[in-house]
Amino acid sequence: MSSSGSATDLDQVILPAIPPVHLTSGQVAPLQVTDRLQRGSQIVGRFETSGLAGFKVSAQGRPLRVLVSLSADERSVSGWQNGHAEPSTQPRLVQIRSQGRLRQCVLLRGRKAHARVAFDLTPEEIPDDGLICVEALDVTEGDGVCDAVRQAVSGRVAPDGVAGIRLDKVVFEEPPPVDYDPDTLDGSRCELYSLISAGGLANVNRQGVRALRSGMFVVNPVLKDRFGSSGRITLRLGTRAEAVSMIPATWRRVNSELRWLRHATRKLLHSAAPSVERVISFRDGDLGAPEQTVRGNVTELELASPAGSPLLVILGPCPDAVPTLESGTAH
């Protein structure tokens, strides 16, 4: 038996994942390190609280694109692992980090929300041993997030936001040379592309406007040669009438759909365009008065495409209506 340091010929050889690879189980050899993540068989695992997963990947000096799929379900609550569940009705604001840097943030709302995260790693960020870590942290934890963000969401998001979140899939692949993208995406497609996060995709096939029921949303750093990477984006914000199930019980008892339609139309005609109160960089703090233009019941928010840090967009009150993201346009 020969040895070199602590390694011997009897040590198990760990085969790294060779891109492109889709990892959908926690029972695979490339998943080398877990911290507060319980491994799964049909998913990579479920976080007990803020934690990480470390994968051994054969990058061979190449850049990598990392795609992460997360979701929430009825077990996504604090204390799920020991039977002392503490449910919360507030949305969750979660940081996704890799190699020690904040990459994107996701806002998850409800029990059946899905989120997608995408980011690139340079060859310099991948160590010789190929260990790539994917961390999920509550917005209140870790460094690199300014106090202005934490103060803005205090009381508006659930504490221990990572608790019970599922890590469904992690994909490692080479970034494509050029990605073709349209100039305009509807609100739901903006979230599918991970440009924005406004509560998660309950249905990943949904298209059209995206309701912003949390009164805030995240604009994430864009990928090279993807939608928004040209420098500036315009987000069109509108309003829509509240659903019947969300209005007071006296209205739910109205039998005539026509009466409800008249009510909704009247409310929308008199509702103002949504307003943006603040835009805050997770790293740099408040960015000052947002550049917004009102056209009828639509607000156009102009932003520089975020490159190194997500942005938190805080909306003003929108009485009698639900603010929506209608579309995003890249310039």
Side-chain angles (χ1 to χ4, degrees):
M1 180 174 67
S2 64
S3 64
S4 176
S6 60
T8 72
D9 290 341
L10 299 180
D11 288 329
Q12 181 181 6
V13 177
I14 303 299
L15 297 178
I18 300 176
V21 62
H22 293 231
L23 302 177
T24 58
S25 170
Q27 311 302 317
V28 294
L31 179 54
Q32 287 287 285
V33 179
T34 61
D35 181 15
R36 290 171 289 186
L37 176 83
Q38 292 195 9
R39 297 174 185 244
S41 57
Q42 296 182 335
I43 61 174
V44 176
R46 188 187 294 270
F47 289 102
E48 297 176 6
T49 184
S50 294
L52 67 80
F55 302 89
K56 188 177 180 65
V57 182
S58 178
Q60 298 180 339
R62 297 167 297 180
L64 286 179
R65 178 158 295 175
V66 184
L67 309 173
V68 180
S69 296
L70 305 161
S71 65
D73 59 18
E74 65 279 353
R75 296 180 66 192
S76 299
V77 293
S78 295
W80 67 271
Q81 71 275 16
N82 53 29
H84 301 291
E86 299 179 11
S88 174
T89 58
Q90 293 178 306
R92 308 155 179 271
L93 185 54
V94 177
Q95 308 171 57
I96 302 300
R97 295 174 176 250
S98 181
Q99 313 304 75
R101 283 185 49 203
L102 173 59
R103 305 293 172 165
Q104 291 191 342
C105 288
V106 293
L107 183 69
L108 289 171
R109 183 181 182 274
R111 293 185 176 181
K112 294 183 179 180
H114 296 253
R116 294 181 177 181
V117 174
F119 56 89
D120 289 339
L121 295 176
T122 65
E124 293 74 25
E125 293 178 301
I126 303 172
D128 293 339
D129 61 7
L131 186 64
I132 297 176
C133 292
V134 176
E135 299 179 78
L137 270 66
D138 184 79
V139 68
T140 61
E141 299 182 341
D143 55 9
V145 176
C146 69
D147 289 339
V149 167
R150 290 171 172 163
Q151 292 170 4
V153 301
S154 177
R156 301 182 62 169
V157 298
D160 196 14
V162 184
I165 292 295
R166 293 162 42 120
L167 180 57
D168 293 323
K169 180 169 68 172
V170 180
V171 177
F172 298 99
E173 62 185 18
E174 288 189 64
V178 176
D179 284 346
Y180 171 77
D181 283 314
D183 293 331
T184 299
L185 296 173
D186 64 37
S188 294
R189 297 293 100 179
C190 284
E191 191 154 27
L192 185 65
Y193 271 55
S194 79
L195 171 66
I196 69 111
S197 185
L201 293 162
N203 179 353
V204 296
N205 296 316
R206 181 176 297 165
Q207 298 186 32
V209 302
R210 178 65 171 95
L212 306 174
R213 295 189 181 279
S214 300
M216 58 185 171
F217 62 95
V218 176
V219 182
N220 278 311
V222 298
L223 296 173
K224 183 178 181 294
D225 297 323
R226 287 294 298 266
F227 180 89
S229 60
S230 56
R232 294 192 68 81
I233 54 177
T234 299
L235 301 177
R236 288 173 53 88
L237 307 172
T239 55
R240 77 179 188 194
E242 186 61 274
V244 177
S245 60
M246 302 295 291
I247 62 176
T250 53
W251 275 108
R252 289 203 302 270
R253 291 195 294 266
V254 175
N255 295 322
S256 170
E257 293 183 4
L258 181 59
R259 289 186 63 186
W260 160 243
L261 180 60
R262 289 172 178 168
H263 165 79
T265 302
R266 186 165 55 250
K267 289 294 186 182
L268 282 181
L269 288 175
H270 290 88
S271 64
S275 62
V276 177
E277 289 188 343
R278 302 175 68 187
V279 177
I280 311 171
S281 166
F282 275 71
R283 181 187 61 195
D284 302 323
D286 202 313
L287 299 183
E291 186 178 340
Q292 54 188 317
T293 303
V294 176
R295 305 180 190 279
N297 282 11
V298 172
T299 298
E300 295 184 350
L301 175 65
E302 298 279 346
L303 294 172
S305 301
S309 173
L311 306 177
L312 178 66
V313 179
I314 305 290
L315 302 176
C318 197
D320 302 321
V322 179
T324 60
L325 174 62
E326 296 192 355
S327 65
T329 302
H331 305 286

